[in-house]
Amino acid sequence: MRAVTHVSGAAYPWGAKNVDTDVIIPAHWLKTISRTGLGCGAFETVRGVPGNVFDDPRYAGAPIIVAGDNFGCGSSREHAAWALVDMGVQAVIAPSFSDIFSGNAVKNGIVPVVLPQEAIDRLVAVAQDQPITVDLETMTVTTPYQDRFPFTLDPFRRRCLMEGLDEIGLTLAQDTAISNYEAAAIQLRPWIAGESRYEGHVVEGAGRT
C-alpha cells in the first residue's frame, strides 16, 4: 500500500448523501478478485446520467471526492474501495461514513475525512473551480481561499496511512519479533515443529493430526 501524507488537487464536488457501495461499484462488477480494472465501473449508474460530475472533464482524474452524509453504506464489499483507488481517488470528505467502508478505505490507502455539513457545503462550492488539499500531518483540509478545516482520525489509522501499512505490512514490520518468538517456542515445545523427544528418542510426527 502506498503511503499518504498529502492529497491535493481537483475534487469531485458531488455532495450526494447515503451513497451505498452498489452505487460506488455495481454488483455485476464483483466477479473479479483483482483490484485493478474496477475504476471503469465506478459510479456506473451515476455516469449514466448526462452531465454527471464524474464525466466532467474539469474533474478528470481528481484524487478527492466531496460527498454527503453516510458515504459507503450498504454491503461490506471491499471492491468499493478498490474501485475508488483504481479511478485515482485518495481521499473522500464527508460528514460520516459507514464503519466497514471507512475501514476498507484505510486498508487501501484512502483517507476518510469527516467534516461537518457546513464545511462540506463550502468545499462543494470551492471545488467547482479550485483545488483542495488534505494534509495528514497537520490534520487539516485547506483551500486557496484560506479555508482551513481541522479533522480527526484514529491515530492507528493515521499511522497506517502515512506509513503505507496494510495488514500484511503491519505483520512484516514485526518480522524480527515473530522470528524470535518462533525460535524460542520451538526450543520450549519442540513437538510443534513436528517431532518430540522422549527419553532421548525422537518420535516422528508427534503432535500432528
Side-chain angles (χ1 to χ4, degrees):
M1 188 175 82
R2 69 182 184 281
V4 182
T5 55
H6 300 78
V7 182
S8 187
Y12 296 102
W14 199 21
K17 297 181 179 182
N18 300 313
V19 176
D20 65 31
T21 50
D22 197 52
V23 171
I24 299 172
I25 186 69
H28 64 266
W29 284 87
L30 306 188
K31 298 175 183 178
T32 179
I33 58 173
S34 172
R35 299 190 181 201
T36 60
L38 290 173
C40 296
F43 303 107
E44 185 177 66
T45 55
V46 178
R47 284 176 158 150
V49 179
N52 71 86
V53 69
F54 294 105
D55 287 331
D56 190 321
R58 291 179 297 171
Y59 313 116
I64 301 170
I65 295 176
V66 182
D69 196 39
N70 199 26
F71 188 89
C73 57
S75 75
S76 61
R77 66 189 68 165
E78 191 172 0
H79 297 70
W82 296 354
L84 293 179
V85 170
D86 199 54
M87 67 181 285
V89 173
Q90 299 177 54
V92 180
I93 307 172
S96 67
F97 294 88
S98 156
D99 287 342
I100 294 177
F101 173 82
S102 182
N104 286 338
V106 171
K107 292 175 185 178
N108 287 277
I110 300 172
V111 186
V113 178
V114 176
L115 289 178
Q117 187 61 51
E118 311 87 79
I120 297 298
D121 294 339
R122 172 59 178 166
L123 292 174
V124 167
V126 171
Q128 300 292 326
D129 55 13
Q130 295 295 327
I132 290 172
T133 297
V134 176
D135 190 331
L136 277 174
E137 293 183 340
T138 61
M139 297 294 287
T140 58
V141 176
T142 57
T143 77
Y145 296 120
Q146 305 307 309
D147 297 295
R148 186 179 182 87
F149 302 109
F151 65 94
T152 60
L153 189 64
D154 175 82
F156 175 72
R157 289 185 169 184
R158 179 173 179 253
R159 177 200 164 205
C160 289
L161 287 165
M162 295 186 72
E163 296 182 19
L165 297 173
D166 55 14
E167 286 97 335
I168 294 175
L170 287 165
T171 302
L172 291 176
Q174 300 299 318
D175 179 61
T176 300
I178 293 170
S179 296
N180 290 341
Y181 172 82
E182 290 177 338
I186 290 174
Q187 291 296 317
L188 291 172
R189 299 183 295 277
W191 58 88
I192 67 175
E195 61 181 34
S196 182
R197 298 179 183 276
Y198 293 101
E199 297 178 357
H201 298 285
V202 175
V203 181
E204 296 295 340
R208 297 177 183 173
T209 58

Tab-separated table of all heavy atoms in Angstrom, residues 52-87:
chain	number	residue	atom	x	y	z
A	52	ASN	N	-23.197	14.357	-15.582
A	52	ASN	CA	-22.781	13.972	-14.233
A	52	ASN	C	-21.364	14.450	-13.931
A	52	ASN	O	-20.540	14.652	-14.831
A	52	ASN	CB	-22.880	12.449	-14.057
A	52	ASN	CG	-21.806	11.715	-14.838
A	52	ASN	OD1	-20.688	11.524	-14.365
A	52	ASN	ND2	-22.135	11.312	-16.068
A	53	VAL	N	-21.072	14.613	-12.657
A	53	VAL	CA	-19.804	15.187	-12.221
A	53	VAL	C	-18.609	14.296	-12.542
A	53	VAL	O	-17.497	14.788	-12.781
A	53	VAL	CB	-19.863	15.497	-10.709
A	53	VAL	CG1	-19.905	14.207	-9.888
A	53	VAL	CG2	-18.699	16.362	-10.270
A	54	PHE	N	-18.830	12.976	-12.597
A	54	PHE	CA	-17.695	12.069	-12.803
A	54	PHE	C	-17.208	12.039	-14.253
A	54	PHE	O	-16.091	11.583	-14.516
A	54	PHE	CB	-18.047	10.664	-12.323
A	54	PHE	CG	-18.258	10.588	-10.843
A	54	PHE	CD1	-19.539	10.472	-10.322
A	54	PHE	CD2	-17.186	10.680	-9.967
A	54	PHE	CE1	-19.739	10.428	-8.948
A	54	PHE	CE2	-17.374	10.645	-8.599
A	54	PHE	CZ	-18.661	10.521	-8.082
A	55	ASP	N	-18.027	12.509	-15.163
A	55	ASP	CA	-17.595	12.586	-16.558
A	55	ASP	C	-17.272	14.016	-16.987
A	55	ASP	O	-16.972	14.266	-18.146
A	55	ASP	CB	-18.682	12.013	-17.483
A	55	ASP	CG	-18.767	10.498	-17.401
A	55	ASP	OD1	-17.722	9.876	-17.116
A	55	ASP	OD2	-19.863	9.946	-17.601
A	56	ASP	N	-17.313	14.933	-16.034
A	56	ASP	CA	-16.977	16.326	-16.324
A	56	ASP	C	-15.458	16.438	-16.493
A	56	ASP	O	-14.707	16.099	-15.576
A	56	ASP	CB	-17.435	17.226	-15.173
A	56	ASP	CG	-17.349	18.708	-15.500
A	56	ASP	OD1	-16.373	19.109	-16.170
A	56	ASP	OD2	-18.240	19.461	-15.071
A	57	PRO	N	-14.977	16.894	-17.645
A	57	PRO	CA	-13.526	16.963	-17.882
A	57	PRO	C	-12.777	17.841	-16.892
A	57	PRO	O	-11.576	17.676	-16.707
A	57	PRO	CB	-13.429	17.507	-19.308
A	57	PRO	CG	-14.754	18.149	-19.587
A	57	PRO	CD	-15.747	17.358	-18.813
A	58	ARG	N	-13.480	18.747	-16.226
A	58	ARG	CA	-12.809	19.597	-15.242
A	58	ARG	C	-12.288	18.794	-14.059
A	58	ARG	O	-11.349	19.219	-13.375
A	58	ARG	CB	-13.775	20.675	-14.723
A	58	ARG	CG	-14.150	21.730	-15.730
A	58	ARG	CD	-15.127	22.715	-15.117
A	58	ARG	NE	-16.377	22.059	-14.734
A	58	ARG	CZ	-17.335	22.655	-14.021
A	58	ARG	NH1	-17.165	23.895	-13.581
A	58	ARG	NH2	-18.452	22.005	-13.739
A	59	TYR	N	-12.888	17.638	-13.806
A	59	TYR	CA	-12.507	16.848	-12.641
A	59	TYR	C	-11.878	15.508	-13.009
A	59	TYR	O	-11.719	14.641	-12.150
A	59	TYR	CB	-13.735	16.617	-11.754
A	59	TYR	CG	-14.536	17.865	-11.513
A	59	TYR	CD1	-15.845	17.982	-11.985
A	59	TYR	CD2	-13.978	18.950	-10.849
A	59	TYR	CE1	-16.581	19.145	-11.784
A	59	TYR	CE2	-14.698	20.117	-10.649
A	59	TYR	CZ	-16.002	20.217	-11.120
A	59	TYR	OH	-16.717	21.375	-10.932
A	60	ALA	N	-11.503	15.363	-14.257
A	60	ALA	CA	-10.921	14.090	-14.709
A	60	ALA	C	-9.696	13.725	-13.875
A	60	ALA	O	-8.767	14.520	-13.725
A	60	ALA	CB	-10.542	14.187	-16.185
A	61	GLY	N	-9.701	12.540	-13.313
A	61	GLY	CA	-8.577	12.074	-12.509
A	61	GLY	C	-8.466	12.713	-11.143
A	61	GLY	O	-7.423	12.592	-10.485
A	62	ALA	N	-9.519	13.381	-10.681
A	62	ALA	CA	-9.469	14.055	-9.376
A	62	ALA	C	-9.184	13.052	-8.260
A	62	ALA	O	-9.784	11.979	-8.209
A	62	ALA	CB	-10.785	14.775	-9.099
A	63	PRO	N	-8.294	13.385	-7.327
A	63	PRO	CA	-7.943	12.464	-6.242
A	63	PRO	C	-8.848	12.560	-5.017
A	63	PRO	O	-8.649	11.845	-4.044
A	63	PRO	CB	-6.515	12.893	-5.891
A	63	PRO	CG	-6.509	14.361	-6.144
A	63	PRO	CD	-7.404	14.565	-7.343
A	64	ILE	N	-9.840	13.469	-5.064
A	64	ILE	CA	-10.690	13.710	-3.896
A	64	ILE	C	-12.160	13.700	-4.315
A	64	ILE	O	-12.506	14.208	-5.384
A	64	ILE	CB	-10.353	15.066	-3.242
A	64	ILE	CG1	-8.891	15.105	-2.799
A	64	ILE	CG2	-11.277	15.345	-2.056
A	64	ILE	CD1	-8.413	16.490	-2.356
A	65	ILE	N	-12.994	13.126	-3.475
A	65	ILE	CA	-14.447	13.216	-3.635
A	65	ILE	C	-15.006	13.940	-2.421
A	65	ILE	O	-14.685	13.597	-1.278
A	65	ILE	CB	-15.111	11.832	-3.739
A	65	ILE	CG1	-14.665	11.100	-5.007
A	65	ILE	CG2	-16.642	11.953	-3.730
A	65	ILE	CD1	-15.214	9.684	-5.132
A	66	VAL	N	-15.832	14.949	-2.656
A	66	VAL	CA	-16.553	15.609	-1.571
A	66	VAL	C	-17.986	15.090	-1.632
A	66	VAL	O	-18.695	15.311	-2.620
A	66	VAL	CB	-16.540	17.145	-1.720
A	66	VAL	CG1	-17.255	17.781	-0.526
A	66	VAL	CG2	-15.112	17.664	-1.810
A	67	ALA	N	-18.386	14.373	-0.606
A	67	ALA	CA	-19.684	13.699	-0.621
A	67	ALA	C	-20.513	14.077	0.599
A	67	ALA	O	-20.069	14.838	1.469
A	67	ALA	CB	-19.484	12.189	-0.679
A	68	GLY	N	-21.738	13.519	0.642
A	68	GLY	CA	-22.649	13.802	1.741
A	68	GLY	C	-22.597	12.757	2.833
A	68	GLY	O	-21.726	11.872	2.857
A	69	ASP	N	-23.536	12.853	3.737
A	69	ASP	CA	-23.598	12.001	4.915
A	69	ASP	C	-23.753	10.519	4.560
A	69	ASP	O	-24.354	10.162	3.550
A	69	ASP	CB	-24.794	12.445	5.759
A	69	ASP	CG	-24.744	11.920	7.168
A	69	ASP	OD1	-23.660	11.883	7.749
A	69	ASP	OD2	-25.810	11.555	7.692
A	70	ASN	N	-23.177	9.637	5.390
A	70	ASN	CA	-23.356	8.188	5.297
A	70	ASN	C	-22.751	7.606	4.014
A	70	ASN	O	-23.340	6.723	3.390
A	70	ASN	CB	-24.849	7.837	5.393
A	70	ASN	CG	-25.095	6.388	5.772
A	70	ASN	OD1	-24.261	5.748	6.405
A	70	ASN	ND2	-26.240	5.871	5.368
A	71	PHE	N	-21.583	8.053	3.652
A	71	PHE	CA	-20.929	7.556	2.442
A	71	PHE	C	-20.450	6.113	2.653
A	71	PHE	O	-19.875	5.780	3.678
A	71	PHE	CB	-19.727	8.435	2.081
A	71	PHE	CG	-19.104	8.110	0.757
A	71	PHE	CD1	-19.561	8.714	-0.401
A	71	PHE	CD2	-18.057	7.203	0.668
A	71	PHE	CE1	-18.987	8.419	-1.633
A	71	PHE	CE2	-17.471	6.894	-0.557
A	71	PHE	CZ	-17.947	7.506	-1.712
A	72	GLY	N	-20.686	5.257	1.655
A	72	GLY	CA	-20.204	3.880	1.703
A	72	GLY	C	-21.093	2.932	2.478
A	72	GLY	O	-20.650	1.854	2.878
A	73	CYS	N	-22.356	3.298	2.682
A	73	CYS	CA	-23.270	2.414	3.395
A	73	CYS	C	-23.629	1.218	2.507
A	73	CYS	O	-23.265	1.162	1.339
A	73	CYS	CB	-24.532	3.168	3.808
A	73	CYS	SG	-25.431	3.938	2.424
A	74	GLY	N	-24.357	0.247	3.067
A	74	GLY	CA	-24.759	-0.917	2.272
A	74	GLY	C	-23.929	-2.131	2.591
A	74	GLY	O	-23.695	-2.453	3.760
A	75	SER	N	-23.429	-2.794	1.560
A	75	SER	CA	-22.700	-4.038	1.765
A	75	SER	C	-21.279	-3.775	2.254
A	75	SER	O	-20.805	-2.646	2.273
A	75	SER	CB	-22.644	-4.839	0.459
A	75	SER	OG	-21.712	-4.272	-0.436
A	76	SER	N	-20.595	-4.874	2.597
A	76	SER	CA	-19.228	-4.763	3.102
A	76	SER	C	-18.186	-4.942	2.006
A	76	SER	O	-17.005	-5.060	2.295
A	76	SER	CB	-18.990	-5.814	4.198
A	76	SER	OG	-19.151	-7.124	3.667
A	77	ARG	N	-18.601	-4.963	0.746
A	77	ARG	CA	-17.676	-5.259	-0.355
A	77	ARG	C	-16.460	-4.332	-0.377
A	77	ARG	O	-16.582	-3.116	-0.447
A	77	ARG	CB	-18.413	-5.198	-1.698
A	77	ARG	CG	-18.911	-3.826	-2.094
A	77	ARG	CD	-19.813	-3.852	-3.323
A	77	ARG	NE	-21.076	-4.511	-3.083
A	77	ARG	CZ	-22.139	-4.403	-3.899
A	77	ARG	NH1	-22.064	-3.678	-5.004
A	77	ARG	NH2	-23.257	-5.030	-3.615
A	78	GLU	N	-15.288	-4.936	-0.291
A	78	GLU	CA	-14.055	-4.153	-0.370
A	78	GLU	C	-13.825	-3.647	-1.785
A	78	GLU	O	-13.048	-2.709	-1.999
A	78	GLU	CB	-12.860	-4.993	0.087
A	78	GLU	CG	-11.583	-4.182	0.294
A	78	GLU	CD	-10.468	-4.986	0.921
A	78	GLU	OE1	-10.662	-6.190	1.199
A	78	GLU	OE2	-9.381	-4.407	1.143
A	79	HIS	N	-14.544	-4.227	-2.735
A	79	HIS	CA	-14.437	-3.776	-4.130
A	79	HIS	C	-14.742	-2.282	-4.262
A	79	HIS	O	-14.257	-1.629	-5.185
A	79	HIS	CB	-15.404	-4.556	-5.019
A	79	HIS	CG	-15.121	-6.030	-5.092
A	79	HIS	ND1	-15.329	-6.868	-4.021
A	79	HIS	CD2	-14.657	-6.806	-6.112
A	79	HIS	CE1	-15.012	-8.112	-4.364
A	79	HIS	NE2	-14.597	-8.107	-5.618
A	80	ALA	N	-15.560	-1.747	-3.350
A	80	ALA	CA	-15.885	-0.317	-3.413
A	80	ALA	C	-14.622	0.524	-3.237
A	80	ALA	O	-14.390	1.486	-3.971
A	80	ALA	CB	-16.914	0.032	-2.343
A	81	ALA	N	-13.804	0.144	-2.267
A	81	ALA	CA	-12.533	0.854	-2.067
A	81	ALA	C	-11.596	0.597	-3.245
A	81	ALA	O	-10.903	1.514	-3.711
A	81	ALA	CB	-11.883	0.414	-0.761
A	82	TRP	N	-11.559	-0.635	-3.744
A	82	TRP	CA	-10.699	-0.959	-4.891
A	82	TRP	C	-11.069	-0.102	-6.099
A	82	TRP	O	-10.192	0.378	-6.819
A	82	TRP	CB	-10.826	-2.430	-5.259
A	82	TRP	CG	-10.353	-3.395	-4.222
A	82	TRP	CD1	-9.721	-3.104	-3.042
A	82	TRP	CD2	-10.484	-4.821	-4.266
A	82	TRP	NE1	-9.442	-4.258	-2.347
A	82	TRP	CE2	-9.898	-5.327	-3.068
A	82	TRP	CE3	-11.028	-5.711	-5.188
A	82	TRP	CZ2	-9.856	-6.694	-2.797
A	82	TRP	CZ3	-10.988	-7.072	-4.910
A	82	TRP	CH2	-10.402	-7.551	-3.725
A	83	ALA	N	-12.374	0.067	-6.323
A	83	ALA	CA	-12.837	0.846	-7.473
A	83	ALA	C	-12.410	2.303	-7.361
A	83	ALA	O	-11.980	2.927	-8.338
A	83	ALA	CB	-14.357	0.748	-7.602
A	84	LEU	N	-12.516	2.860	-6.148
A	84	LEU	CA	-12.109	4.251	-5.948
A	84	LEU	C	-10.612	4.424	-6.188
A	84	LEU	O	-10.187	5.379	-6.846
A	84	LEU	CB	-12.477	4.710	-4.532
A	84	LEU	CG	-13.968	4.807	-4.219
A	84	LEU	CD1	-14.172	5.260	-2.780
A	84	LEU	CD2	-14.684	5.759	-5.173
A	85	VAL	N	-9.821	3.498	-5.650
A	85	VAL	CA	-8.366	3.564	-5.855
A	85	VAL	C	-8.049	3.469	-7.340
A	85	VAL	O	-7.205	4.200	-7.858
A	85	VAL	CB	-7.657	2.437	-5.082
A	85	VAL	CG1	-6.186	2.346	-5.487
A	85	VAL	CG2	-7.764	2.670	-3.581
A	86	ASP	N	-8.740	2.580	-8.048
A	86	ASP	CA	-8.464	2.368	-9.467
A	86	ASP	C	-8.817	3.601	-10.304
A	86	ASP	O	-8.210	3.823	-11.355
A	86	ASP	CB	-9.231	1.149	-9.975
A	86	ASP	CG	-8.662	0.596	-11.272
A	86	ASP	OD1	-7.440	0.304	-11.303
A	86	ASP	OD2	-9.419	0.457	-12.248
A	87	MET	N	-9.765	4.399	-9.837
A	87	MET	CA	-10.107	5.625	-10.575
A	87	MET	C	-9.280	6.823	-10.105
A	87	MET	O	-9.456	7.934	-10.578
A	87	MET	CB	-11.603	5.924	-10.487
A	87	MET	CG	-12.113	6.294	-9.123
A	87	MET	SD	-13.919	6.607	-9.095
A	87	MET	CE	-14.005	8.225	-9.870
